[in-house]
């Protein structure tokens, strides 16, 4: 099946620094990837839709200057949390759809746990 | 307002029994509804998809039903095993989304007791 790899799995950073999280589709091309944020015992909150070769579409209430998304190729999207603060600490997950397969299921990365000190 | 609701209380059942999880939605007209499994600290894994014109879908010990009149989907695991213990999320794709965007419920934590 389709595999989505996310890196790093966990990261600890100081307040004010920026952190980049990568999401790769390993064996398929993903023109669209999605970024989510998940708090403990809560659901996935869609942050933005990442489109290859164009600007990301952000959900209401998500700061686009805070969470920079770049989808530079058909297999890679990155999320950069800029000037991180402790309240940005969360579990970030990406997903992608295998367009070529024609299926509608989403394939998720393993998630990245960010802790901002 | 639009909502997707799953029972937030954990569901504990005895091994071998059938687990039934509920997903209710309001003010959506979904084209598809999906169920995912999520283990702690991991990303969700796709289980089943059901379309709005389908009533039931099965895969091995899993069964999903979809009632667009009741605006409800039921997810069943028969002959449950301790390895089925996880959080199960339902997700729907509204007709109006125009994209592949899915909205997720809060999930129900299932614990199968040996």
């Amino acid at each position: 099946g389709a595999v989505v790899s996310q890196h790093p799995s966990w990261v600890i950073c100081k307040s004010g620094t920026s952190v980049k999280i990568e999401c790769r589709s390993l064996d398929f091309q993903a023109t669209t990837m999605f970024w989510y944020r998940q708090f403990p015992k809560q659901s996935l909150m869609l942050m933005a839709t990442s489109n290859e070769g164009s600007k990301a579409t952000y959900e209401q209430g998500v700061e686009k200057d805070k969470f920079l998304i770049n989808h530079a190729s058909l297999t890679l999207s990155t999320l950069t949390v800029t000037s991180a603060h402790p309240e940005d600490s969360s579990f970030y997950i990406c997903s992608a759809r295998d367009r070529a397969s024609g299926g509608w299921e989403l394939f998720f990365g393993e998630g990245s746990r960010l802790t901002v000190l | 307002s639009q909502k997707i609701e799953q029972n937030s209380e954990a569901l504990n059942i005895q091994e071998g029994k059938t687990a039934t999880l509920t997903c209710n939605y309001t003010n959506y007209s979904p084209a598809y509804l999906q169920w995912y499994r999520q283990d702690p600290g991991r990303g969700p894994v796709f289980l089943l998809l059901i379309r709005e014109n389908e009533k039931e879908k099965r895969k091995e010990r899993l069964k999903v039903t979809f009632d667009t009149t009741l605006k409800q989907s039921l997810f069943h695991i028969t002959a449950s095993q301790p390895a089925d213990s996880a959080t199960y999320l339902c997700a729907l794709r509204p007709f109006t989304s125009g994209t592949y965007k899915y909205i997720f419920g809060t999930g129900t934590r299932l614990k199968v007791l040996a």
Side-chain angles (χ1 to χ4, degrees):
Chain A
V3 178
V4 173
S5 172
Q6 202 171 327
H7 178 80
S9 301
W10 57 271
V11 56
I12 301 172
C13 70
K14 293 182 179 178
S15 260
T17 60
S18 294
V19 173
K20 180 185 283 187
I21 300 170
E22 292 188 347
C23 180
R24 292 180 186 273
S25 54
L26 297 187
D27 49 1
F28 67 99
Q29 293 183 334
T31 54
T32 303
M33 289 184 172
F34 302 94
W35 286 96
Y36 303 84
R37 185 172 180 176
Q38 188 175 35
F39 292 103
K41 297 186 180 180
Q42 293 190 28
S43 187
L44 301 169
M45 184 194 82
L46 180 64
M47 298 174 66
T49 302
S50 171
N51 303 299
E52 186 268 335
S54 65
K55 290 183 180 179
T57 305
Y58 288 82
E59 294 299 302
Q60 194 171 9
V62 178
E63 298 176 61
K64 57 183 68 176
D65 294 330
K66 172 79 172 170
F67 300 100
L68 299 178
I69 291 172
N70 182 271
H71 197 147
S73 76
L74 287 172
T75 59
L76 173 64
S77 175
T78 59
L79 167 68
T80 301
V81 182
T82 63
S83 187
H85 288 285
E87 56 265 31
D88 298 325
S89 299
S90 190
F91 191 53
Y92 293 88
I93 313 176
C94 69
S95 72
R97 175 180 171 251
D98 182 358
R99 184 184 65 169
S101 75
W104 289 100
E105 63 267 38
L106 295 176
F107 297 95
F108 283 84
E110 287 296 321
S112 299
R113 184 161 303 283
L114 170 64
T115 302
V116 184
L117 302 176
Chain B
S1 62
Q2 295 176 315
K3 279 187 199 177
I4 303 175
E5 292 181 318
Q6 294 184 253
N7 190 344
S8 59
E9 299 285 330
L11 177 63
N12 294 334
I13 64 165
Q14 208 61 42
E15 183 177 8
K17 300 292 185 184
T18 296
T20 299
L21 284 66
T22 305
C23 176
N24 296 299
Y25 58 92
T26 53
N27 294 323
Y28 281 112
S29 296
Y32 309 99
L33 192 144
Q34 302 184 348
W35 284 87
Y36 290 80
R37 168 183 174 143
Q38 186 175 25
D39 291 287
R42 310 289 293 273
V45 174
F46 171 77
L47 296 175
L48 279 169
L49 175 151
I50 189 164
R51 291 176 169 77
E52 53 93 24
N53 60 350
E54 296 176 320
K55 296 295 184 187
E56 182 179 297
K57 188 70 79 73
R58 291 176 185 260
K59 179 182 175 184
E60 297 173 352
R61 294 185 295 111
L62 309 180
K63 184 177 85 170
V64 172
T65 62
F66 194 9
D67 189 326
T68 55
T69 302
L70 291 179
K71 297 187 182 296
Q72 181 182 79
S73 174
L74 298 178
F75 176 78
H76 306 272
I77 305 175
T78 58
S80 59
Q81 304 165 0
D84 295 327
S85 300
T87 295
Y88 291 86
L89 303 166
C90 70
L92 60 82
R93 177 177 175 248
F95 265 123
T96 57
S97 84
T99 68
Y100 308 123
K101 186 165 79 172
Y102 280 85
I103 312 298
F104 283 82
T106 52
T108 298
R109 195 165 73 251
L110 172 68
K111 187 170 183 180
V112 181
L113 306 170

